[in-house]
C-alpha cells in the first residue's frame, strides 16, 4: 500500500481467521521505519470489523506496522510513502468510460492496481517512475565510492555504520550514479544506506502506458479472448496474431506499453559506454 508524502497516512486493518473476522478487545499500533526505529505508537479505533488509525505525514520510505489485538492476535502489515504517483485516480477515471463508474471500480481498487502497475514497470525496466526510498546494505572496500545497485539515484537520506548513525550531509552523487562518501569506507565493514531514487514524475509517455496497463488489468473480464491465447480467429473470419505476456519479448503483452518500457530499460552499452 502506497501513500503520498506530505499527507497523513490512514491505516485500516481487520483481524481474520481465514475469512472469519476475529473479535479482539482492543488494538495497539506500532509503526517502525526501515531502520527498525519506532515512528509511531498508539491505539486504533474500531469501525465494524475494521480497526483504523491516522498517522501524521511521514518521510519517504517503507514502514512495518504491528497490530496487537490484546492476547488474541498480533498481525503485521507494510506500507510505503512515495514522492508521487504515476497517475491520479481522476486521471484513471477520465482515461476510460468504464473506469468512470466508481460503483464498479471503487477508488480503493484503482489505487491498488495503480501500485501493481508502478511495481510492474519498475520490475520490467529496473527503474522507478515514482520517487522512492529503499534501504540497502553494502560492504566497504576501502574506497569512498559505493554503487548501491539502484538507478537514477537522487540522494542519500541516512547512513549507518557499525558504530551507529553517520553524517550523510557530505555525500555526493557521481555522474555514473555512485554515492561518494567524504571519507574512505572501511574494507569489510557493512553500511546501511537509505537511498532516494527514481525518475522525475510526470513522464507523459510512461503515464499513458500506465493508464493503458491499468485498464487492461481492471477490465480484463470484458475481453472474450482467453488469457492464454497466442492466436485468435474472429467470428466474422480472419486470423489475428496476439502479443502475449512473457512470449517473444513481450512483458505485459500490450505492444504500446512494452515499446514504451523498452525505451527506459538501462542498457550498459548505450547508457554507460555511449555506444550507439
Amino acid at each position: 500500500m502506497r501513500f503520498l508524502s506530505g499527507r497523513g497516512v490512514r491505516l485500516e486493518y481487520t483481524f481474520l481467521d481465514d475469512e472469519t473476522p476475529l473479535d479482539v478487545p482492543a488494538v495497539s499500533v506500532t509503526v517502525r521505519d526501515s531502520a527498525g526505529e519506532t515512528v509511531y505508537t498508539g491505539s486504533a479505533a474500531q469501525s465494524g470489523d475494521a480497526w483504523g488509525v491516522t498517522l501524521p505525514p511521514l518521510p519517504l520510505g517503507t514502514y512495518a506496522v504491528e497490530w496487537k489485538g490484546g492476547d488474541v492476535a498480533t498481525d503485521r502489515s507494510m506500507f510505503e510513502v512515495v514522492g508521487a504517483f504515476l497517475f491520479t485516480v481522476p486521471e484513471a477515471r477520465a482515461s476510460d468510460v468504464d473506469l468512470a463508474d466508481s460503483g464498479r471500480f471503487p477508488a480503493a481498487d484503482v489505487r491498488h492496481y495503480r501500485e501493481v502497475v508502478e511495481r510492474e514497470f519498475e520490475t520490467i525496466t529496473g527503474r522507478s517512475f515514482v520517487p522512492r526510498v529503499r534501504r540497502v546494505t553494502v560492504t566497504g572496500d576501502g574506497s569512498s565510492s559505493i554503487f548501491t545497485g539502484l538507478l537514477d539515484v537522487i540522494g542519500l537520506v541516512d547512513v549507518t555504520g557499525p558504530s551507529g548513525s553517520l553524517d550523510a550531509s557530505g555525500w555526493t552523487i557521481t555522474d555514473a550514479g555512485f554515492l561518494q562518501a567524504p571519507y574512505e569506507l572501511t574494507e569489510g565493514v557493512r553500511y546501511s544506506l537509505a537511498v532516494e531514487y527514481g525518475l522525475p514524475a510526470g513522464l507523459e509517455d510512461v503515464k499513458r502506458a500506465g493508464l493503458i496497463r491499468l485498464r487492461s488489468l481492471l477490465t480484463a473480464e470484458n475481453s472474450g479472448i482467453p488469457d492464454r491465447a497466442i492466436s485468435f480467429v474472429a467470428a466474422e473470419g480472419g486470423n489475428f496474431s496476439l502479443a502475449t505476456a512473457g512470449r517473444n519479448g513481450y512483458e505485459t503483452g500490450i505492444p504500446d506499453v512494452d515499446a514504451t518500457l523498452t525505451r527506459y530499460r538501462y542498457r550498459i552499452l548505450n547508457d554507460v559506454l555511449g555506444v550507439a
Side-chain angles (χ1 to χ4, degrees), residues 65-144:
V65 188
E66 180 182 85
W67 303 83
K68 186 171 180 59
D71 295 328
V72 178
T74 299
D75 290 356
R76 292 169 175 82
S77 63
M78 302 283 292
F79 71 89
E80 183 179 6
V81 177
V82 296
F85 294 131
L86 190 55
F87 48 80
T88 66
V89 173
E91 286 173 331
R93 296 207 187 281
S95 70
D96 187 272
V97 65
D98 287 335
L99 299 186
D101 186 347
S102 59
R104 183 180 171 195
F105 299 106
D109 288 351
V110 178
R111 290 195 298 267
H112 169 74
Y113 280 99
R114 175 178 62 192
E115 182 177 341
V116 170
V117 171
E118 290 171 347
R119 292 186 182 278
E120 179 184 49
F121 280 17
E122 181 170 355
T123 298
I124 291 172
T125 64
R127 318 177 90 150
S128 175
F129 296 97
V130 300
R132 302 181 64 198
V133 167
R134 183 187 298 181
R135 183 166 294 278
V136 297
T137 300
V138 298
T139 302
D141 61 1
S143 72
S144 59

Side-chain angles (χ1 to χ4, degrees), residues 183-236:
Y183 44 79
E184 292 183 350
L185 301 171
T186 307
E187 185 173 0
V189 171
R190 295 169 68 84
Y191 297 85
S192 175
L193 295 81
V195 182
E196 183 177 354
Y197 71 105
L199 288 165
L203 297 169
E204 289 299 326
D205 55 343
V206 181
K207 178 190 292 188
R208 177 179 175 275
L211 290 168
I212 294 172
R213 181 56 171 156
L214 176 79
R215 294 198 298 270
S216 76
L217 293 171
L218 284 173
T219 64
E221 73 277 6
N222 290 348
S223 174
I225 304 172
D227 292 339
R228 297 174 63 190
I230 57 175
S231 63
F232 173 66
V233 179
E236 298 80 8

Side-chain angles (χ1 to χ4, degrees), residues 133-194:
V133 167
R134 183 187 298 181
R135 183 166 294 278
V136 297
T137 300
V138 298
T139 302
D141 61 1
S143 72
S144 59
S145 182
I146 285 182
F147 180 62
T148 63
L150 301 174
L151 302 178
D152 312 304
V153 173
I154 298 171
L156 182 65
V157 178
D158 68 62
V159 57
T160 302
S163 301
S165 179
L166 302 174
D167 182 9
S169 61
W171 290 60
T172 57
I173 306 168
T174 70
D175 292 339
F178 284 72
L179 282 171
Q180 192 77 32
Y183 44 79
E184 292 183 350
L185 301 171
T186 307
E187 185 173 0
V189 171
R190 295 169 68 84
Y191 297 85
S192 175
L193 295 81

Side-chain angles (χ1 to χ4, degrees), residues 4 18 21 26 113 126 132 142 156 192 201 222 224 241 251 253 261 267-268:
L4 196 60
D18 288 332
Y113 280 99
R132 302 181 64 198
L156 182 65
S192 175
N222 290 348
S241 296
E251 296 286 356
L261 297 180
R267 295 161 297 182
I268 191 70

